[in-house]
Amino acid sequence: MKFKAMTAIAALVAAPLSAVADPDDDTLVVNEEIEMVTKAAAPDHLSDTLDEVMSGWHFRSDETQSLQMDDFDNPAMVFVDQALEKWEEVEGAAGKSCASCHDDVEESMKGVRAVYPKWNDEKEAVYTMAMQINDCRETGMQAEKWKYTGGNMAAMEALISVQSRGMPVNVAIDGPAEAAWEMGKELYYTRTGQLELSCANCHEDNYGNMIRADHLSQGQINGFPTYRLKNAKINTVHARFKGCVRDTRAETYSPGSDEFVALELYVASRGNGLSVEGPSVRN
Amino acid sequence: MKLTSLTLAASLIGGAALAGEVAPKEVAYNEDGAIEASLTGVAGDAANGALIVGNKSKGNCVACHEITALADVPFHGEVGPMLDGAGERWSEAELRGLIANAKMTFEGTVMPAFYKVDGFIRPGDAYTGKAGQEPLPPILTAQEIEDVVAFLATLKE
C-alpha cells in the first residue's frame, strides 16, 4: 500500500512538466480541396540557418488546427463575408467602391497576397497590402484611410488573402526591394528591450520549444491575417510584430512604420515556398 | 518637501540601491561571471525565491526552465536547461552571477539579465510597449536575487 503510493508519487514527479513539443506531421487540406504546402525547403537566403520552413499551423493543437481545415469552422470567414460587402460598398467623394476599379475580387485579387509586400515603382517604396488598400481608399475613392491594424483592414486583407490560398508565397527580395529587405533582416536579428531578445532568439533558435505555455513556431506570416481564439478577432501582421516586440520589454515600432514594413518583407521572404494560408486560426 | 520625496522615488526607480545594497552598476563580476559577495548582506529566503522563480510577473524562470521541485506551477518551458541539480553544479557566487547577468557566464545567451538597468536597444517601460527611460528598474531587486540564489542552492539531484 505504502509502496504503491510512493511509486505513484515518483511517477508523478518524473512526468515531464512540459508538453512534447515537436511540430507535428499532419497535412493541411482546406475544404477537402486546397492542399497547403506547410513545410518546404528553406529559401536560398536562409540556407545557412534553416533546412526547412514550416507554417505556424504545425505548432498548434489538433483542435485549433481543425478549425482551419473547413471554412464553415473557420471563425475568420464571418469577417471575410463582411469584407466582401465592403468590397462592393461605395464610399468617399469619388463615388467608388473597390469593385468599381477591380470588379470581381476572385478574379482580380488572385495571386496578390502571395507577392506582398512588394516594390511599388510609382511610390518608390516597398508597399504592404495595407498600404496599397489605404492608397486605393485615399486616392482612388477619396475616402478615409483605415486604421493600419484595425478590423476593416484585417478583414479586407483576409478577403484578398483567400483568393491566393494554396499558392506559394513568393516575395521578391532583390532589385529595388533589397535595401528594405536588408533593413528587415537587421531588425530580425536585433536583440531589443530589457530582455534582450530578437525575433531569431525565439523563432529561429527555439522553434519547437515551449516557452511557458506557448509552443514556439518559426513566426511565419504565410497564414496572416490570422484569427486568434485569444482575442476573438482577425489580427494583422504588424499587430503581431508589435506584441512580440513588446514582450521583450522594448519600445515597439509603430504599425505601418518603415521598420515594420521592412520587417514584414523580410519575414515574408523567410516563408517563400509555403502556401498562402490566410486567414489562418491560431490560439 | 513633496519635491524631495519625488526625487527620492525617482532615484529608487532608477535602480539606485538601498543602503547596504550593491547597485546594479556596481556589481563586481569575476572573470567567470560569478558574483562573490551577497548583494544585500541579508541571507536569502529560499521559500520566497521559489515563488519568484515560478511567478510570471517576477522571475518567470519556468518560462524557459523545467524545475521538478516546482511541479505544482503549471507550464514549464524548454528554452533553457532543466534546473534540477543546479545547486550542485554551481556555487552560490556562480548562481548569483547567472541570475544578475547570465551573459557574463554564457556569452550571447538568450537568458535575460535580471539585474541590469541600461545599455539596451529600444528599452521599454516594462511590458507596455512604450519607451522606458534608462536606467530601468532591474527586473528583480537585490534581495529577490538573493532569495532566488537561496532557492536554487536547494536544488540537489
Side-chain angles (χ1 to χ4, degrees):
Chain A
M1 190 65 191
K2 230 179 177 167
F3 187 75
K4 254 193 174 161
M6 277 201 61
T7 338
I9 289 170
L12 259 179
V13 169
L17 298 165
S18 39
V20 178
D22 286 332
D24 68 17
D25 288 321
D26 297 347
T27 37
L28 175 56
V29 181
V30 173
N31 300 335
E32 293 179 359
E33 186 189 327
I34 313 169
E35 289 178 22
M36 299 285 186
V37 175
T38 52
K39 290 187 184 180
D44 287 346
H45 69 85
L46 281 182
S47 60
D48 288 347
T49 39
L50 290 177
D51 295 329
E52 199 177 35
V53 290
M54 274 175 250
S55 161
W57 184 80
H58 282 293
F59 299 79
R60 308 281 57 99
S61 71
D62 286 348
E63 298 80 64
T64 308
Q65 284 185 335
S66 71
L67 292 174
Q68 204 188 310
M69 298 176 79
D70 192 306
D71 285 352
F72 284 108
D73 298 325
N74 187 333
M77 288 303 161
V78 180
F79 300 94
V80 169
D81 286 342
Q82 288 170 6
L84 194 52
E85 280 171 29
K86 280 278 175 206
W87 183 264
E88 310 279 351
E89 186 181 311
V90 172
E91 265 187 273
K96 286 182 178 158
S97 69
C98 313
S100 315
C101 293
H102 299 292
D103 295 324
D104 185 357
V105 67
E106 289 185 23
E107 292 283 320
S108 61
M109 293 296 132
K110 197 178 178 64
V112 168
R113 171 67 175 81
V115 295
Y116 267 84
K118 75 169 194 191
W119 180 257
N120 181 319
D121 265 334
E122 199 184 315
K123 310 281 177 186
E124 294 187 2
V126 170
Y127 251 45
T128 62
M129 239 165 45
M131 289 160 79
Q132 183 57 56
I133 290 168
N134 266 343
D135 194 39
C136 286
R137 287 186 61 83
E138 275 195 306
T139 326
M141 299 164 66
Q142 293 171 36
E144 294 262 296
K145 279 206 290 194
W146 278 333
K147 184 172 175 234
Y148 202 94
T149 55
N152 279 323
M153 185 62 86
M156 186 55 73
E157 288 180 355
L159 172 67
I160 294 172
S161 181
V162 164
Q163 318 312 327
S164 302
R165 279 194 302 183
M167 298 172 69
V169 174
N170 183 23
V171 299
I173 64 175
D174 49 5
E178 194 178 337
W181 184 82
E182 291 289 353
M183 174 178 172
K185 181 175 180 183
E186 167 108 30
L187 289 165
Y188 192 86
Y189 288 98
T190 300
R191 300 183 65 163
T192 58
Q194 194 171 15
L195 300 188
E196 297 175 279
L197 293 171
S198 68
C199 314
N201 286 146
C202 286
H203 295 296
E204 182 173 289
D205 305 337
N206 277 295
Y207 70 86
N209 284 331
M210 298 297 294
I211 187 162
R212 197 115 203 191
D214 286 313
H215 191 190
L216 283 169
S217 71
Q218 290 184 343
Q220 296 285 359
I221 55 175
N222 61 305
F224 274 76
T226 185
Y227 182 91
R228 292 190 69 189
L229 301 168
K230 185 178 159 183
N231 60 15
K233 64 171 189 174
I234 313 190
N235 298 264
T236 63
V237 169
H238 289 205
R240 176 47 113 161
F241 286 177
K242 195 175 161 186
C244 281
V245 176
R246 180 200 61 212
D247 285 350
T248 69
R249 296 174 80 110
E251 178 189 4
T252 67
Y253 304 95
S254 306
S257 62
D258 290 351
E259 287 89 351
F260 270 178
V261 170
L263 187 60
E264 180 177 345
L265 174 65
Y266 177 69
V267 177
S269 79
R270 292 175 68 99
N272 271 351
L274 294 173
S275 295
V276 172
E277 265 178 48
S280 61
V281 185
R282 302 286 187 258
N283 50 308
Chain B
M1 187 66 190
K2 236 189 177 152
L3 201 96
T4 23
S5 59
L6 256 167
T7 336
L8 196 91
S11 66
L12 267 178
I13 289 171
L18 296 169
E21 276 187 7
V22 181
K25 301 202 55 123
E26 287 155 12
V27 176
Y29 294 87
N30 73 19
E31 57 191 21
D32 299 322
I35 305 169
E36 297 296 342
S38 162
L39 297 174
T40 62
V42 178
D45 172 351
N48 194 45
L51 294 177
I52 293 165
V53 167
N55 186 327
K56 216 171 172 164
S57 52
K58 280 288 177 187
N60 199 17
C61 314
V62 299
C64 293
H65 294 284
E66 187 176 340
I67 307 170
T68 306
L70 296 184
D72 56 333
V73 177
F75 306 122
H76 296 202
E78 309 172 308
V79 171
M82 133 91 97
L83 291 186
D84 292 8
E88 262 162 40
R89 283 192 294 279
W90 308 95
S91 69
E92 288 196 14
E94 287 166 335
L95 289 170
R96 191 176 289 117
L98 273 166
I99 302 158
N101 187 351
K103 288 168 185 80
M104 300 295 191
T105 305
F106 301 111
E107 203 189 327
T109 182
V110 299
M111 178 162 157
F114 290 86
Y115 205 55
K116 180 177 168 187
V117 295
D118 61 9
F120 301 113
I121 298 170
R122 299 186 72 83
D125 176 7
Y127 290 108
T128 62
K130 305 240 154 56
Q133 188 66 46
E134 289 187 344
L136 303 173
I139 299 173
L140 295 178
T141 65
Q143 191 57 45
E144 285 170 337
I145 288 178
E146 292 304 323
D147 294 352
V148 172
V149 170
F151 168 66
L152 294 182
T154 68
L155 301 178
K156 311 263 161 146
E157 230 138 15

